[in-house]
Amino acid sequence: MANDPDVVVIGAGFAGLYAIHRLRERGLSVHGLEAAEGVGGTWYWNRYPGARCDSESYYYCYAFSRELEQEWDWSERYPGQAEILSYLEHVADRFDLRRDISFSTTVVSAAHDGDRWVIDTEDGGRWTCRWLVTAVGCLSSANVPDIPGLEPFAGEWHHTGQWPHEGVDVAGRRVGVVGTGSTGIQAIPVLAESAGHLTVFQRTANFSIPARNAPLAPEEAAGYKADYAAIRELQQASTNGHPFVVSDVDTLALPDDERRALLERAWERGGLRFRAAVRDVLTDPAVNEEASDFLRSKIHETVDDATTAEALTPRDHPFATKRPPIDTGYFETYNRADVSLVDVRADPIAAITPRGVRLESGTEHPLDVLVFATGFDALSGPLLRLGIRGTGGQSLADAWAEGATTYLGLGVAGFPDLFTITGPGSPSVLTNMPTSIEQHVDWIADLVVHLRDHDLEAEPTPEAQARWAEHVREAADATLLPQAASSWYLGANVPGKPRVFLPYAGGFARYREMCDAEAAAGYPGFALRARQRAA
Ligand code: NA7
């Protein structure tokens, strides 16, 4: 029947593309709905200058196809946005996925009618299906701060996650950037190179580690290709889905000079691997303070002006309790005469005026271009804007009024036959995303096939969901992560958002084992019901 596949997948980024491929392979009819004009998800939208992945290219990619692994060549240690987008376009073509995707199609509502999902799209289309799979990403709902005066601003403004495809000409212009998360830290050095003057409006000083990006030498790339079996095994057994072995060295037991040398080596190697070099960095406050202090000292060594260096030095949260950025020349950028730093925690932004940004003190910074690197309504935001309604017409927004809760991050009580790839309560943003995505998709595909074969519908039980919410909280509390009061992991960046630690911090390998145990036991956390109506 037209517009009535077995499964509708919303989104065509890493998650949606693989979901379509895998579900199709398992004999289901699948259709994808994607708001963008093309594939790519986060890599379709985030085209800001300097946009690059913080995972290394040899493992920020799919593992499901040995041929794909061997045939694709990455050019740099960290893949840039354009290269990742080309990769995903190649995947879409190679596995013939586009024929089952409607592009430029925005979902406005999805309601369960007791038997099927009924999905309405902005262009007046309607799709029905038995299983609804969301592949909308964790960081796709832009958070533009509600600052008065944005409309009359005479210059142009953009959020980094909705960057114009034709680019933004900043040459010689007065550019302001609000935000110093991973995005701001990537964009600021690149914007500074061509802007006439760059003003950074910083609310929270951030830690950052040099990425040490470089072209990928052919022999290094060949080495990874030869080693993929071992690399994938390491990822599956890891905490974060990265193929790193966490150091077993007790740094606190080392003499001062050896501890410093260990941190220096990790700093020189660069990237997110720094965390793996410092055992217990996210659980032991003393270990963390050593690493934090080391990173603070690097800021002071790098930034010439002592006042600016201190303003850039994070002192309100332990290292890596907010998503740790990695950078190329970030702190060095503040040594440029044409870059200035404004501390908007000390003197907050009061309004945008037609000329620029006005602070509460009355100081005005005239600007031609204003860039919001202000992040996203993370994890729950992209799901809430789909207008999902479950049993009895209950909206997801009502179900999550006190904070997003799920079972395993994969499903929500009261919403039958809905599966959420990398949903709240899954390891998702604390891991290398393609690794988590493949694990979720494979697990969901197995469950959907089970439901099809036994003509069942599935929905998490409220008890299993409550247990999982408690476990997610405990897993976060076992780490230093909740200590960052301004973290988007907690929803703190979006005014009014309930403060719930959203991702699962218990580690990828442990999470995967729990998912496998759930499936092996016949899905005890789900109510599996015979369908009311014959298929
Ligand atoms: P983040 O990490 O949420 O960073 C957003 C930044 O914007 C952060 O420095 C915020 O300060 C700042 N911000 C947000 N709202 C405001 C207002 N109203 N005024 C001033 N400053 C503000 O988003 P990113 O896009 O950098 O990174 C998201 C993820 O994408 C990243 O971690 C990777 O996983 C990829 P705050 O810290 O909240 O005080």
Side-chain angles (χ1 to χ4, degrees), residues 114-354:
D115 181 60
R116 310 179 82 71
W117 284 96
V118 180
I119 300 138
D120 287 322
T121 60
E122 202 172 52
D123 57 6
R126 172 164 284 193
W127 292 78
T128 53
C129 59
R130 261 184 76 181
W131 296 285
L132 179 61
V133 174
T134 60
V136 289
C138 299
L139 297 161
S140 51
S141 181
N143 172 41
V144 178
D146 187 17
I147 305 171
L150 198 51
E151 281 313 310
F153 177 54
E156 53 180 308
W157 69 268
H158 305 281
H159 186 277
T160 49
Q162 296 164 341
W163 201 255
H165 287 198
E166 63 281 12
V168 177
D169 182 13
V170 298
R173 301 171 82 192
R174 297 165 303 180
V175 179
V177 176
V178 183
T180 51
S182 294
T183 299
I185 282 176
Q186 286 186 341
I188 285 163
V190 183
L191 289 168
E193 274 169 25
S194 35
H197 189 92
L198 182 73
T199 307
V200 177
F201 298 92
Q202 173 190 270
R203 186 164 70 182
T204 306
N206 216 338
F207 292 99
S208 184
I209 294 161
R212 313 268 181 225
N213 189 31
L216 202 54
E219 53 282 12
E220 191 182 349
Y224 292 137
K225 287 188 182 186
D227 266 356
Y228 260 128
I231 290 167
R232 299 309 188 188
E233 214 172 295
L234 207 51
Q235 286 180 274
Q236 290 300 317
S238 71
T239 305
N240 300 105
H242 297 264
F244 307 154
V245 179
V246 177
S247 164
D248 58 4
V249 176
D250 177 359
T251 41
L252 293 184
L254 293 175
D256 285 356
D257 57 337
E258 283 182 37
R259 184 163 56 237
R260 178 85 193 183
L262 179 144
L263 291 167
E264 286 287 355
R265 281 195 302 277
W267 169 264
E268 282 309 321
R269 176 73 174 82
L272 293 175
R273 203 180 279 254
F274 184 92
R275 279 182 308 192
V278 190
R279 196 189 80 179
D280 301 332
V281 72
L282 262 181
T283 48
D284 185 329
V287 172
N288 189 293
E289 185 53 20
E290 282 286 333
S292 296
D293 243 358
F294 172 84
L295 295 171
R296 292 185 194 113
S297 74
K298 288 291 179 190
I299 299 172
H300 281 265
E301 278 171 32
T302 309
V303 179
D304 297 339
D305 176 65
T307 311
T308 307
E310 186 49 32
L312 287 165
T313 302
R315 300 205 182 272
D316 69 338
H317 65 279
F319 164 63
T321 54
K322 295 181 80 163
R323 168 63 158 74
I326 64 174
D327 71 276
T328 300
Y330 173 65
F331 292 112
E332 291 83 346
T333 300
Y334 293 92
N335 294 332
R336 296 176 67 116
D338 54 5
V339 172
S340 39
L341 178 69
V342 174
D343 179 353
V344 296
R345 186 171 299 282
D347 189 0
I349 298 173
I352 312 292
T353 67

